[in-house]
């Protein structure tokens, strides 16, 4: 156990360097174009994410509708597996495209987790969340503009609790699903892993996209899979039906709790932040 805990005296010989914690309030960011460029990137990425994924969901439901007697209904369209691939694949693509600009969050829960992990400032976190929610609304708006009848008739891609499941089950599914995602984000971007596993080239967006894919496979039958408050909020705003709004709190509370647990687990257990803090406290007393 002692070997796993880096002490103050060992820090100078570490083969990796942790970036300094982001300040809680960093008003200097507001004077930099790179900051606004990152906010715009989050807006566009979330817009594209919702456009492709919700369009996939609507298309699947159109093809799957046996009442239409389409040839496509015999094979059921892309199916749940295809929907999960659409979500996971788009996250892989968009994180790859935007990671060097904004960090590629595309999800308020990821942003919240990284804020708790002191990876981003409060100002950046708040503006990212606003941009993500606005992007999600615009993405769903594009889908409705192109396929208004299908959009309204087939549920608008909105997240709702499936029949047969209580709200506690839905909340638990969202907490665990988001924990998997945010835990993967922390692990894939950990500077310690990047330094010590440099002989294993792992593209960070790949495991993040796979995490989204796997969680969708597990939770689509329960909640339709939120794990992203912006995704759920944007669809609810454009679809604007009571059921979507009644269940909306599940898709905010669940992901934010899951993200918080993942951030604390990674920072204070896996990276031994709690033990380091205790060691530092003892050395000063």
């Amino acid at each position: 156990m002692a070997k796993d805990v880096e002490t103050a005296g060992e820090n100078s010989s570490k083969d990796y360097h942790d970036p300094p914690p982001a300040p809680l309030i960093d008003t200097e960011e507001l004077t930099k174009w790179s900051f606004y460029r990152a906010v715009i990137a989050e807006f566009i990425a979330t817009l594209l994410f919702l456009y492709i994924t919700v369009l996939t969901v609507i298309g699947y439901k159109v093809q799957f509708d046996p009442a239409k007697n389409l040839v496509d209904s015999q094979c059921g369209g892309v199916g749940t597996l295809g929907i999960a691939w659409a979500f996971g694949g788009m996250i892989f693509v968009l994180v790859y495209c935007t990671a060097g600009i904004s960090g590629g969050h595309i999800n308020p829960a990821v942003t919240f987790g990284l804020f708790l992990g002191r990876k981003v400032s409060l100002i950046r976190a708040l503006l990212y969340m606003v941009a993500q929610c606005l992007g999600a609304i615009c993405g769903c708006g594009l889908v409705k503009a192109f396929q208004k009848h299908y959009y309204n008739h087939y549920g608008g891609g909105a997240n709702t609790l499936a029949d047969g499941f209580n709200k506690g089950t839905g909340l638990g599914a969202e907490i665990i699903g988001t924990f998997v995602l945010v835990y993967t984000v922390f692990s894939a971007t950990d500077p310690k892993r990047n330094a010590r596993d440099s002989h294993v080239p792992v593209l960070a967006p790949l495991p993040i996209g796979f995490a989204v894919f796997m969680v969708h496979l597990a939770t689509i039958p329960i909640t339709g899979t939120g794990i992203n408050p912006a995704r759920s909020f944007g669809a609810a705003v454009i679809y604007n039906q009571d059921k979507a709004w009644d269940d909306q709190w599940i898709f905010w509370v669940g992901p934010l709790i899951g993200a918080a647990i993942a951030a604390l687990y990674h920072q204070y257990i896996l990276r031994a932040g709690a033990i380091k803090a205790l060691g530092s406290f003892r050395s000063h007393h």
Side-chain angles (χ1 to χ4, degrees):
M1 178 66 184
K3 291 180 180 179
D4 294 330
V5 180
E6 294 90 351
T7 62
E10 293 172 321
N11 285 341
S12 60
S13 62
K14 289 196 302 185
D15 57 357
Y16 68 95
H17 299 282
D18 284 316
L24 179 62
I25 305 293
D26 186 5
T27 55
E28 187 178 344
E29 285 185 316
L30 298 174
T31 65
K32 297 178 180 178
W33 163 242
S34 60
F35 173 71
Y36 296 101
R37 181 181 63 186
V39 172
I40 293 170
E42 287 292 313
F43 169 81
I44 296 297
T46 315
L47 183 155
L48 294 174
F49 176 59
L50 267 293
Y51 172 73
I52 295 296
T53 55
V54 171
L55 202 57
T56 301
V57 171
I58 300 299
Y60 162 66
K61 290 186 175 182
V62 171
Q63 292 175 310
F64 186 70
D65 189 351
K68 297 182 74 65
N69 293 317
L70 296 177
V71 174
D72 288 340
S73 68
Q74 301 302 313
C75 64
V78 298
T80 300
L81 184 64
I83 292 173
W85 270 123
F87 279 89
M90 277 305 290
I91 287 297
F92 168 71
V93 169
L94 294 170
V95 171
Y96 179 83
C97 291
T98 60
I101 301 170
S102 65
H105 298 189
I106 322 171
N107 183 338
V110 170
T111 300
F112 181 64
L114 293 174
F115 166 69
L116 293 180
R118 300 293 302 277
K119 307 297 184 183
V120 296
S121 70
L122 177 61
I123 292 174
R124 182 176 291 265
L126 290 175
L127 285 184
Y128 272 20
M129 291 180 186
V130 171
Q132 290 156 358
C133 289
L134 291 176
I137 292 170
C138 292
C140 290
L142 281 178
V143 177
K144 185 173 182 178
F146 293 155
Q147 297 192 359
K148 185 174 182 178
H149 172 71
Y150 286 152
Y151 185 89
N152 291 328
H153 185 70
Y154 291 106
N159 285 127
T160 57
L161 189 64
D163 294 336
F165 295 97
N166 61 44
K167 294 186 184 298
T169 301
L171 182 64
E174 289 296 310
I175 290 173
I176 295 171
T178 311
F179 174 87
V180 171
L181 170 59
V182 178
Y183 174 36
T184 304
V185 169
F186 272 97
S187 298
T189 58
D190 191 337
K192 182 176 181 180
R193 172 186 292 273
N194 292 338
R196 297 186 177 177
D197 294 346
S198 58
H199 62 286
V200 182
V202 176
L203 189 64
L206 186 58
I208 295 171
F210 260 105
V212 172
F213 167 66
M214 298 305 295
V215 170
H216 273 76
L217 285 182
T219 58
I220 282 176
I222 304 173
T223 62
T225 308
I227 68 170
N228 183 336
R231 174 261 184 273
S232 302
F233 180 70
V237 168
I238 300 300
Y239 184 53
N240 197 28
Q241 297 294 320
D242 290 344
K243 174 64 173 171
W245 286 119
D246 289 344
D247 294 342
Q248 183 66 198
W249 68 271
I250 294 173
F251 302 102
W252 282 88
V253 175
L256 293 181
I257 291 175
I261 295 172
L264 295 174
Y265 173 62
H266 185 270
Q267 295 295 95
Y268 290 97
I269 305 299
L270 299 187
R271 290 300 302 274
I275 296 176
K276 292 176 188 175
L278 180 60
S280 177
F281 175 80
R282 287 176 174 175
S283 68
H284 287 86
H285 290 77

